[in-house]
């Protein structure tokens, strides 16, 4: 409910960002830090509307051939590129999309996995077997017609088009910038065709956007300015203070903070919980650690013992079952909100469904075949279905017998690095330590928390150059937001060939490392590939991906903790459900087209009413979108 007409609604939006981008080159980076700085400035072929439907952006219309292999897009006429100062530079044409993908391939984009096995001839070009990009299956038929040819049908292909590796790039501008294209702190190093222009970016300080007054769809842009302030997590209460002062349009509240009762008094009717998002946060297990700069281990024997223990599946399962996720979540979400954020699977259980079964239901059936410990587990969102002291002890006993026979000495010491400024995160890892040590006994397992600086942590996890630099036994720098509407978007990234993710999730970047064979990860590859090859029957495809997720769950190499946006306790001036809605893609929660803000904080009642209305409208809108899809098959 808008309190006034649009002309009088507030036009400024403020919130936070948490990591400076290493680059603004949206075509080569897959990181959230780049996305936050670029997704409002650049439009691809599609974006998402507030009901989660793909909606045309630079593409005006499209069609797909009967065999599902050729997609043809009609490019909207009159969409322009602008400099960061808002000066017109050129028209956006089909050629810009071809050039964008060529740039991504030439520069070995971290997101190449989204494209290289899909677009005909692209893998050969990336591998250097063929030097001629003209032979790759992406063509500008003319200025306003773009055509992709695929290796095999991908029913979800269009949902990938919202992702930045498929966004356009003007070739003349790219040449003029040379090595400075997409330079991390320089808004003038990009061109913009989206709803906002990036105006300023100051490291560890702020990111600023202004409305693109000449945007092709400016009627759907309700904000004039967007200011994101750098937030390192050290002062959680600053979010609410800045909301109260009017600087932020939204604030996450922390029910565990010392001033929460005061905040509750002030905002009693305005506090509500966000629904669980599709993103996953978890703990990764390093199966091949090579560096020991940040460690409490004092002998080689301790290093070897930990390494052998982490390669033992029963030992990893013992950690998984000894971990009280509800207590972990409570450090952030308070007792009441705690279960609402818990996630038990890497893939969101409700992400897809077929034949009346959710993906989570399919996994539950399949994982039960791996052993009695998996009978009757509840893998649904919003509750802790894994924590079980009896199971944890039973798995540990099995592991201990096998490991002691190999000469392993207990207790096993496990290093977990944490950012010393991030109080909430330290509290969560301390909670993990407490539940694991209490359940398994410190004579068996000791969790050693390594408190280090933000930059040190980034260098050995998120931004580590290679696996050798991944200096940890367990890492919480593990998170994933799905890119498109298919389980492969989660499960493909853990294949042994994706060194960019395997190094930060599992500590290795060489698929033929002995550790990989020992853990059986090639078996996982096989399951994921089998699922990917099933393109005719979606229900069968999902069942096959569920088999891969079941393997992953049983392996306990990536240990899910929470959904990345689940159960946040919030106060907000953003008009509820005005923002684009998407389970996937690079636009997600950082995209501010369509977003409206109101003068007064949203009441809980307003939010509930808006949600009910939105859910009804969404169901109708999604159904209509599904029917429209069928019209595009040529």
């Amino acid at each position: 409910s808008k309190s006034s007409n649009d002309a009088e609604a507030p036009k400024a939006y403020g919130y936070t960002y948490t990591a400076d981008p290493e680059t603004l080159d949206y075509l080569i980076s897959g990181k959230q830090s780049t996305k936050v700085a670029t997704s409002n400035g650049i439009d691809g072929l599609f974006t998402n509307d507030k009901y989660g439907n793909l909606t045309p952006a630079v593409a005006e219309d499209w069609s797909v051939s009967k065999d599902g292999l050729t997609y043809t897009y009609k490019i909207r006429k009159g969409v322009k590129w602008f400099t960061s100062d808002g000066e017109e530079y050129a028209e956006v044409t089909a050629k810009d999309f071809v050039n964008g993908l060529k740039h991504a391939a030439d520069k070995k984009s971290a997101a190449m996995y989204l494209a290289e096995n899909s677009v005909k001839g692209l893998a050969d070009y990336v591998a250097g077997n063929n030097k001629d990009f003209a032979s790759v299956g992406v063509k500008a038929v003319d200025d306003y017609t773009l055509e992709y040819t695929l290796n095999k049908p991908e029913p979800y292909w269009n949902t990938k088009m919202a992702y930045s590796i498929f966004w356009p790039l003007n070739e003349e501008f790219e040449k003029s910038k040379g090595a400075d294209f997409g330079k991390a702190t320089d808004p003038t190093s990009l061109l913009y065709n989206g709803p906002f222009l990036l105006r300023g970016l100051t490291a560890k300080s702020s990111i600023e956007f202004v409305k693109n007054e000449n945007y092709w769809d400016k009627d759907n842009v309700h904000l004039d300015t967007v200011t994101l302030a750098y937030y390192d997590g050290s002062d959680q209460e600053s979010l609410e203070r800045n909301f109260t002062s009017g600087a932020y349009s939204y604030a996450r509240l922390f029910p565990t903070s010392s001033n929460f009762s005061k905040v509750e008094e002030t905002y009693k009717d305005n506090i509500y919980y966000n629904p669980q998002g599709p993103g996953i946060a978890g703990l990764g297990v390093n199966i091949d650690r090579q560096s020991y700069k940040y460690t409490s281990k004092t002998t080689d024997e301790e290093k070897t013992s930990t390494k052998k223990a982490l390669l033992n599946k029963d030992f990893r399962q013992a950690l998984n079952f000894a971990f009280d996720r509800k207590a972990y979540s409570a450090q952030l979400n308070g007792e009441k909100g705690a279960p609402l954020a818990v996630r038990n699977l890497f893939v969101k259980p409700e992400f897809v469904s077929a034949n009346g079964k959710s993906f989570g239901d399919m996994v539950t059936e399949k994982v039960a075949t791996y052993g009695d410990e998996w009978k009757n587990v509840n893998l649904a969102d919003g509750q802790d279905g894994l924590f079980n002291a009896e199971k944890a002890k039973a798995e540990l006993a099995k592991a201990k017998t096998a490991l002691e026979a190999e000469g392993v000495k207990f207790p096993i010491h496990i290093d977990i690095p944490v950012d010393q400024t991030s109080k909430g995160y330290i509290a969560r890892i301390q909670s993990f330590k407490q539940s694991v040590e209490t359940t398994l006994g410190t004579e068996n397992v000791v969790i050693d928390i390594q408190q280090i600086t933000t930059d040190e942590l980034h260098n050995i996890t998120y931004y580590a150059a290679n696996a050798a630099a991944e200096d940890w036994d367990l890492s919480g720098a593990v998170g994933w937001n799905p890119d498109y509407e298919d389980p492969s978007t989660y499960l493909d990234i853990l294949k042994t060939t994706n060194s960019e993710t395997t190094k930060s999730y599992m500590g290795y970047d060489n698929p033929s490392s002995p550790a990989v064979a020992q853990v059986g990860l090639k078996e996982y590859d096989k399951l994921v590939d089998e699922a990917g090859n099933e393109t005719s029957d979606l229900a069968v495809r999902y069942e096959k991906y569920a088999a891969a997720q079941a393997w992953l769950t049983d392996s306990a190499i990536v240990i899910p903790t929470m959904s990345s946006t689940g159960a946040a306790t919030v106060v907000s001036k953003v008009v509820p459900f005005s923002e684009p809605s998407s389970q996937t893609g690079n636009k997600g929660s950082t995209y501010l087209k369509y977003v409206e803000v109101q003068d007064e904080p949203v009441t809980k009642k307003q939010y509930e009413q808006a949600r009910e209305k939105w859910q009804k409208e969404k169901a109708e809108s999604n159904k209509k979108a599904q029917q429209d899809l069928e019209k595009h098959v040529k």
Side-chain angles (χ1 to χ4, degrees):
S1 63
K2 281 227 230 48
S3 46
S4 55
N5 63 17
D6 195 45
E8 290 154 32
K11 300 289 196 194
Y13 175 94
Y15 197 51
T16 61
Y17 75 104
T18 55
D20 288 320
E22 288 183 295
T23 177
L24 295 180
D25 188 342
Y26 50 89
L27 294 149
I28 67 164
S29 169
K31 291 197 160 64
Q32 183 69 18
S33 47
T34 299
K35 188 188 298 193
V36 168
T38 58
S39 71
N40 284 299
I42 292 107
D43 269 359
L45 294 170
F46 296 103
T47 179
N48 288 96
D49 67 12
K50 67 176 185 175
Y51 303 116
N53 301 311
L54 273 185
T55 182
V58 181
E60 197 166 35
D61 201 7
W62 61 280
S63 63
V64 55
S65 59
K66 249 200 183 62
D67 62 9
L69 296 178
T70 310
Y71 282 74
T72 307
Y73 300 94
K74 279 280 161 232
I75 302 297
R76 190 181 297 280
K77 289 188 173 148
V79 177
K80 301 291 201 316
W81 285 116
F82 298 93
T83 65
S84 59
D85 294 331
E87 279 181 42
E88 191 180 314
Y89 185 92
E91 189 165 14
V92 178
T93 68
K95 279 200 214 57
D96 296 337
F97 288 87
V98 178
N99 185 54
L101 194 57
K102 180 178 189 301
H103 172 87
D106 290 342
K107 295 272 190 287
K108 302 278 188 270
S109 169
M112 204 23 96
Y113 63 88
L114 286 170
E116 73 177 312
N117 299 318
S118 303
V119 178
K120 203 170 175 192
L122 184 56
D124 268 346
Y125 179 83
V126 171
N129 305 336
N130 168 22
K131 305 274 191 270
D132 181 17
F133 195 76
S135 64
V136 174
V138 58
K139 304 254 182 302
V141 180
D142 58 46
D143 277 354
Y144 303 107
T145 314
L146 175 68
E147 185 183 278
Y148 287 94
T149 309
L150 308 186
N151 288 322
K152 58 181 186 200
E154 291 186 17
Y156 48 87
W157 170 256
N158 276 339
T159 67
K160 286 184 175 183
M161 295 299 99
Y163 203 81
S164 63
I165 189 175
F166 295 105
W167 294 351
L169 170 61
N170 177 285
E171 190 177 3
E172 187 190 326
F173 179 80
E174 180 194 0
K175 286 204 171 100
S176 76
K177 285 294 173 196
D180 283 342
F181 172 74
K183 198 170 158 193
T185 52
D186 181 6
T188 68
S189 69
L190 293 182
L191 288 179
Y192 305 87
N193 69 342
F196 296 91
L197 307 169
L198 181 58
R199 249 314 133 76
L201 202 160
T202 310
K204 291 198 168 56
S205 171
S206 67
I207 300 179
E208 294 163 78
F209 300 93
V210 296
K211 180 176 177 174
N212 177 359
E213 292 299 345
N214 299 300
Y215 180 54
W216 67 272
D217 191 23
K218 68 170 186 292
D219 290 352
N220 280 312
V221 185
H222 307 290
L223 304 168
D224 289 339
T225 61
V226 173
T227 309
L228 304 178
Y230 179 72
Y231 170 63
D232 67 7
S234 60
D235 179 6
Q236 293 182 328
E237 290 156 19
S238 66
L239 299 178
E240 178 268 324
R241 283 200 308 277
N242 282 303
F243 177 79
T244 300
S245 75
Y248 294 173
S249 309
Y250 171 92
R252 180 164 192 165
L253 304 177
F254 298 93
T256 51
S257 61
S258 54
N259 72 336
F260 188 66
S261 52
K262 200 168 117 271
V263 175
E264 260 186 318
E265 250 164 73
T266 315
Y267 288 112
K268 49 181 174 296
D269 299 328
N270 306 102
I271 296 173
Y272 60 89
Y273 291 116
N274 264 352
Q276 267 187 297
I280 168 83
L283 295 170
V285 176
N286 194 336
I287 60 170
D288 195 15
R289 184 171 178 184
Q290 297 163 59
S291 305
Y292 291 91
K293 188 177 165 195
Y294 303 100
T295 186
S296 301
K297 298 179 185 55
T298 50
T299 64
D300 284 346
E301 185 180 61
E302 284 183 348
K303 293 175 189 172
T304 312
S305 291
T306 300
K307 202 166 240 185
K308 285 185 169 162
L310 292 178
L311 286 171
N312 178 297
K313 182 172 85 170
D314 296 327
F315 183 81
R316 296 193 305 270
Q317 282 191 1
L319 294 176
N320 195 15
F321 288 128
F323 173 20
D324 183 343
R325 287 165 175 77
K326 190 164 152 283
Y328 182 90
S329 167
Q331 307 308 312
L332 187 66
N333 300 304
E335 281 305 311
K336 216 165 56 181
L340 303 175
V342 172
R343 172 148 301 149
N344 303 286
L345 286 178
F346 193 64
V347 179
K348 182 176 190 260
E350 306 290 325
F351 190 62
V352 292
S353 52
N355 300 339
K357 281 196 299 194
S358 73
F359 189 74
D361 297 334
M362 298 176 203
V363 177
T364 305
E365 286 169 16
K366 300 215 173 353
V367 78
T369 64
Y370 279 94
D372 288 349
E373 69 271 29
W374 297 113
K375 296 236 183 325
N376 310 317
V377 285
N378 181 357
L379 299 171
D381 264 351
Q383 52 81 47
D384 186 343
L386 296 172
F387 177 48
N388 184 310
E390 293 317 301
K391 285 184 191 177
K393 288 176 176 136
E395 295 304 318
L396 179 74
K398 279 194 279 185
K400 199 168 180 179
T401 306
L403 289 166
E404 287 186 330
E406 290 178 48
V408 167
K409 291 276 188 287
F410 283 75
I412 303 299
H413 280 267
I414 294 176
D415 293 312
I416 307 186
V418 297
D419 178 343
Q420 65 198 21
T421 54
S422 184
K423 290 190 182 127
Y425 184 58
I426 293 171
R428 291 202 292 285
I429 294 301
Q430 280 167 339
S431 163
F432 173 80
K433 172 182 168 75
Q434 193 190 348
S435 76
V436 169
E437 289 181 355
T438 305
T439 308
L440 301 177
T442 47
E443 71 281 9
N444 291 312
V445 180
V446 176
I447 305 293
D448 293 315
I449 300 176
Q450 308 296 326
Q451 295 204 24
I452 57 182
T453 69
T454 309
D455 290 341
E456 282 175 316
L457 182 70
H458 277 161
N459 291 340
I460 63 166
T461 57
Y462 197 53
Y463 291 143
N466 48 36
E470 301 279 353
D471 190 357
W472 45 273
D473 294 317
L474 288 190
S475 163
V478 166
W480 187 251
N481 284 303
D483 300 322
Y484 54 91
E485 301 273 344
D486 186 69
S488 57
T489 182
Y490 289 94
L491 298 171
D492 279 2
I493 66 160
L494 300 177
K495 282 172 61 176
T496 61
T497 44
N498 285 326
S499 59
E500 193 56 38
T501 37
T502 65
K503 72 170 195 237
S504 55
Y505 285 47
M506 296 174 262
Y508 76 89
D509 51 14
N510 172 10
S512 43
S513 131
V516 171
Q518 203 170 331
V519 170
L521 278 157
K522 296 287 191 210
E523 174 60 22
Y524 175 77
D525 285 358
K526 213 171 84 196
L527 290 166
V528 173
D529 289 341
E530 269 170 33
N533 289 329
E534 176 54 65
T535 54
S536 52
D537 185 335
L538 275 184
V540 176
R541 180 184 179 89
Y542 295 162
E543 289 281 359
K544 287 186 170 176
Y545 276 118
Q549 168 69 72
W551 186 97
L552 188 64
T553 295
D554 179 63
S555 81
I557 288 184
V558 174
I559 297 177
T561 56
M562 302 196 301
S563 50
S564 47
T565 54
T569 314
V570 298
V571 283
S572 174
K573 288 182 184 171
V574 176
V575 174
F577 303 96
S578 65
E579 65 265 19
S581 152
S582 163
Q583 292 205 92
T584 63
N586 240 63
K587 291 297 192 189
S589 58
T590 51
Y591 192 51
L592 297 168
K593 181 177 172 172
Y594 309 114
V595 168
E596 298 169 58
V597 287
Q598 56 186 49
D599 283 315
E600 294 301 317
V602 176
T603 65
K604 195 175 171 178
K605 194 174 164 197
Q606 264 178 353
Y607 176 79
E608 296 297 344
Q609 285 170 339
R611 186 172 64 176
E612 211 168 300
K613 181 170 179 277
W614 176 80
Q615 280 170 331
K616 269 204 201 85
E617 290 170 358
K618 177 175 162 58
E620 285 159 30
S621 172
N622 293 166
K623 201 167 134 188
K624 189 181 169 302
Q626 200 49 47
Q627 289 160 349
D628 288 351
L629 267 184
E630 283 133 41
K631 295 185 193 137
H632 291 95
V633 182
K634 289 285 180 278

